[in-house]
Amino acid sequence: MSASRSVSDAVASRRSIRRFLPEPVDPAVLRGVLKMAQNAPSGGNVQPWHAHVLTGEPLARLFDAVAAVLPQGRAAHAPEYAVYPPELSGRYAERRSGVGEAMYAALNIAREDKIGRLVQFAANFRAFEAPVLMLVHMPRTMGPPQWSDTGMWLQTVMLLLREAGLDSCAQEAWAIYQRQIRAVVPIPDDHVFFCGLAIGHRDAEAPINRFAVARAPLDEVVTWVGFA
Ligand SMILES: Cc1cc2nc3c(=O)[nH]c(=O)nc-3n(C[C@H](O)[C@H](O)[C@H](O)COP(=O)(O)O)c2cc1C
């Protein structure tokens, strides 16, 4: 997809890409993006984020390591944090299931097709065929404000990737296989693994990259105080 020429265009053209083309990513471009993203803000300028960026053989080894435990199902899951709060309900739960249903509808995978849904979920663990996967982690001592900082950095990376003509998908799904990740890359024991970021070029024709993702109306999330 063409490169973004403005922040608004980068925001509007970014979407979570779940099918990538087999086109390599220029490491110099990636380095430039990550260098620029170091300008992201953080409370107290703490800059809590860390990342390992994988491609080629090490990435293939990670895919293999996870593929080996996929048949074990939940028994192999070992996330270090709750990816969603257990009490997620109401509009938040509806939005979560809504995007899933929209995605499966775009792929013609019916609600009762549990295998089809599992296969699509498993595509997470090949980074949707992206040639690059960034693995994000931070010291365990960091609290909610620093997790937020890491999120801001991640969004900065995602928007800069659009400016560079690249696409991405943030992937918390990798958190459930942090043990397999640690067997491949030396994430320090005193760091918590947060998420992956699949990076590459979007397949613009793939239905999974084209379905509409609903957003809440502005008035549902913003309350104006003191304005005329
Ligand atoms: C931190 C984070 C983690 C995410 N993890 C996953 C994931 O594991 N798998 C996936 O398919 N999408 C994942 N997503 C993508 C969200 O589902 C997506 O951002 C949301 O539905 C809005 O759609 P959009 O990004 O296409 O605008 C993640 C997004 C964020 C910000």
mmCIF file of all heavy atoms in Angstrom, residues 23 45 60 72 77 92 116 129 135 138 147 152 162 178:
data_model
loop_
_atom_site.group_PDB
_atom_site.id
_atom_site.type_symbol
_atom_site.label_atom_id
_atom_site.label_comp_id
_atom_site.label_asym_id
_atom_site.label_seq_id
_atom_site.Cartn_x
_atom_site.Cartn_y
_atom_site.Cartn_z
ATOM 1 N N GLU A 23 6.941 -10.221 0.763
ATOM 2 C CA GLU A 23 7.931 -9.196 0.367
ATOM 3 C C GLU A 23 8.791 -8.891 1.570
ATOM 4 O O GLU A 23 8.253 -8.653 2.658
ATOM 5 C CB GLU A 23 7.196 -7.896 0.003
ATOM 6 C CG GLU A 23 7.029 -7.629 -1.459
ATOM 7 C CD GLU A 23 6.337 -6.282 -1.670
ATOM 8 O OE1 GLU A 23 6.882 -5.252 -1.226
ATOM 9 O OE2 GLU A 23 5.236 -6.290 -2.241
ATOM 10 N N ASN A 45 10.035 10.545 31.184
ATOM 11 C CA ASN A 45 11.004 10.125 30.151
ATOM 12 C C ASN A 45 11.662 8.778 30.496
ATOM 13 O O ASN A 45 12.818 8.528 30.161
ATOM 14 C CB ASN A 45 12.076 11.197 29.937
ATOM 15 C CG ASN A 45 12.787 11.031 28.599
ATOM 16 O OD1 ASN A 45 12.231 10.475 27.646
ATOM 17 N ND2 ASN A 45 14.027 11.493 28.532
ATOM 18 N N ALA A 60 11.688 -18.327 12.061
ATOM 19 C CA ALA A 60 11.187 -19.658 11.692
ATOM 20 C C ALA A 60 11.287 -20.604 12.891
ATOM 21 O O ALA A 60 10.387 -21.425 13.124
ATOM 22 C CB ALA A 60 11.976 -20.205 10.500
ATOM 23 N N GLN A 72 -1.334 -28.927 22.220
ATOM 24 C CA GLN A 72 -1.630 -29.067 23.659
ATOM 25 C C GLN A 72 -2.754 -28.123 24.105
ATOM 26 O O GLN A 72 -3.221 -28.191 25.240
ATOM 27 C CB GLN A 72 -0.383 -28.760 24.498
ATOM 28 C CG GLN A 72 0.745 -29.758 24.317
ATOM 29 C CD GLN A 72 2.006 -29.306 25.056
ATOM 30 O OE1 GLN A 72 1.943 -28.555 26.036
ATOM 31 N NE2 GLN A 72 3.145 -29.740 24.586
ATOM 32 N N HIS A 77 -0.547 -22.755 27.472
ATOM 33 C CA HIS A 77 -0.632 -21.287 27.608
ATOM 34 C C HIS A 77 -0.030 -20.834 28.940
ATOM 35 O O HIS A 77 -0.336 -21.426 29.975
ATOM 36 C CB HIS A 77 -2.088 -20.817 27.543
ATOM 37 C CG HIS A 77 -2.735 -21.034 26.210
ATOM 38 N ND1 HIS A 77 -4.001 -20.596 25.912
ATOM 39 C CD2 HIS A 77 -2.276 -21.643 25.070
ATOM 40 C CE1 HIS A 77 -4.312 -20.924 24.658
ATOM 41 N NE2 HIS A 77 -3.281 -21.558 24.131
ATOM 42 N N TYR A 92 -17.722 -3.099 26.260
ATOM 43 C CA TYR A 92 -16.332 -3.514 25.988
ATOM 44 C C TYR A 92 -16.283 -4.945 25.481
ATOM 45 O O TYR A 92 -15.571 -5.253 24.520
ATOM 46 C CB TYR A 92 -15.480 -3.348 27.251
ATOM 47 C CG TYR A 92 -15.606 -1.954 27.843
ATOM 48 C CD1 TYR A 92 -16.306 -1.735 29.029
ATOM 49 C CD2 TYR A 92 -15.072 -0.860 27.179
ATOM 50 C CE1 TYR A 92 -16.453 -0.458 29.546
ATOM 51 C CE2 TYR A 92 -15.220 0.420 27.687
ATOM 52 C CZ TYR A 92 -15.915 0.616 28.874
ATOM 53 O OH TYR A 92 -16.072 1.871 29.364
ATOM 54 N N GLY A 116 -12.324 -24.047 12.087
ATOM 55 C CA GLY A 116 -11.981 -22.921 11.208
ATOM 56 C C GLY A 116 -11.504 -21.725 12.017
ATOM 57 O O GLY A 116 -10.531 -21.056 11.649
ATOM 58 N N GLU A 129 2.175 -14.466 8.408
ATOM 59 C CA GLU A 129 3.136 -14.571 7.290
ATOM 60 C C GLU A 129 3.975 -13.310 7.100
ATOM 61 O O GLU A 129 4.639 -13.141 6.062
ATOM 62 C CB GLU A 129 2.444 -14.964 5.960
ATOM 63 C CG GLU A 129 1.605 -16.241 6.034
ATOM 64 C CD GLU A 129 2.397 -17.479 6.467
ATOM 65 O OE1 GLU A 129 3.586 -17.553 6.144
ATOM 66 O OE2 GLU A 129 1.802 -18.346 7.151
ATOM 67 N N LEU A 135 9.164 -8.326 19.137
ATOM 68 C CA LEU A 135 8.685 -8.846 20.423
ATOM 69 C C LEU A 135 8.948 -7.796 21.494
ATOM 70 O O LEU A 135 10.094 -7.372 21.697
ATOM 71 C CB LEU A 135 9.413 -10.154 20.744
ATOM 72 C CG LEU A 135 9.182 -11.266 19.701
ATOM 73 C CD1 LEU A 135 10.200 -12.399 19.879
ATOM 74 C CD2 LEU A 135 7.759 -11.806 19.780
ATOM 75 N N MET A 138 9.217 -5.398 28.823
ATOM 76 C CA MET A 138 9.676 -4.295 29.692
ATOM 77 C C MET A 138 9.937 -4.833 31.095
ATOM 78 O O MET A 138 9.430 -5.918 31.445
ATOM 79 C CB MET A 138 8.648 -3.160 29.718
ATOM 80 C CG MET A 138 7.346 -3.491 30.382
ATOM 81 S SD MET A 138 6.073 -2.270 30.002
ATOM 82 C CE MET A 138 4.862 -3.342 29.230
ATOM 83 N N TRP A 147 3.196 0.827 31.205
ATOM 84 C CA TRP A 147 2.577 -0.012 30.150
ATOM 85 C C TRP A 147 1.924 0.918 29.128
ATOM 86 O O TRP A 147 1.974 0.667 27.925
ATOM 87 C CB TRP A 147 1.542 -0.967 30.753
ATOM 88 C CG TRP A 147 2.144 -2.181 31.399
ATOM 89 C CD1 TRP A 147 2.942 -2.201 32.512
ATOM 90 C CD2 TRP A 147 2.029 -3.538 30.965
ATOM 91 N NE1 TRP A 147 3.312 -3.496 32.789
ATOM 92 C CE2 TRP A 147 2.766 -4.343 31.863
ATOM 93 C CE3 TRP A 147 1.355 -4.158 29.915
ATOM 94 C CZ2 TRP A 147 2.864 -5.731 31.738
ATOM 95 C CZ3 TRP A 147 1.444 -5.552 29.783
ATOM 96 C CH2 TRP A 147 2.187 -6.316 30.686
ATOM 97 N N MET A 152 2.087 3.802 23.815
ATOM 98 C CA MET A 152 2.261 5.007 22.978
ATOM 99 C C MET A 152 3.422 4.829 22.010
ATOM 100 O O MET A 152 3.359 5.239 20.855
ATOM 101 C CB MET A 152 2.474 6.230 23.861
ATOM 102 C CG MET A 152 1.179 6.763 24.421
ATOM 103 S SD MET A 152 1.404 8.328 25.239
ATOM 104 C CE MET A 152 1.974 7.752 26.827
ATOM 105 N N ARG A 162 3.550 3.097 8.636
ATOM 106 C CA ARG A 162 2.685 3.516 7.528
ATOM 107 C C ARG A 162 3.392 4.562 6.662
ATOM 108 O O ARG A 162 3.304 4.526 5.451
ATOM 109 C CB ARG A 162 1.352 4.084 8.060
ATOM 110 C CG ARG A 162 0.357 3.066 8.555
ATOM 111 C CD ARG A 162 -0.019 2.020 7.483
ATOM 112 N NE ARG A 162 -0.427 2.658 6.259
ATOM 113 C CZ ARG A 162 0.179 2.513 5.075
ATOM 114 N NH1 ARG A 162 1.211 1.705 4.907
ATOM 115 N NH2 ARG A 162 -0.244 3.156 4.016
ATOM 116 N N GLN A 178 4.846 -17.016 25.862
ATOM 117 C CA GLN A 178 6.091 -16.310 26.209
ATOM 118 C C GLN A 178 7.212 -17.280 26.584
ATOM 119 O O GLN A 178 8.384 -16.979 26.396
ATOM 120 C CB GLN A 178 5.850 -15.253 27.298
ATOM 121 C CG GLN A 178 5.151 -15.716 28.563
ATOM 122 C CD GLN A 178 6.062 -16.375 29.583
ATOM 123 O OE1 GLN A 178 7.261 -16.131 29.586
ATOM 124 N NE2 GLN A 178 5.490 -17.202 30.453
#
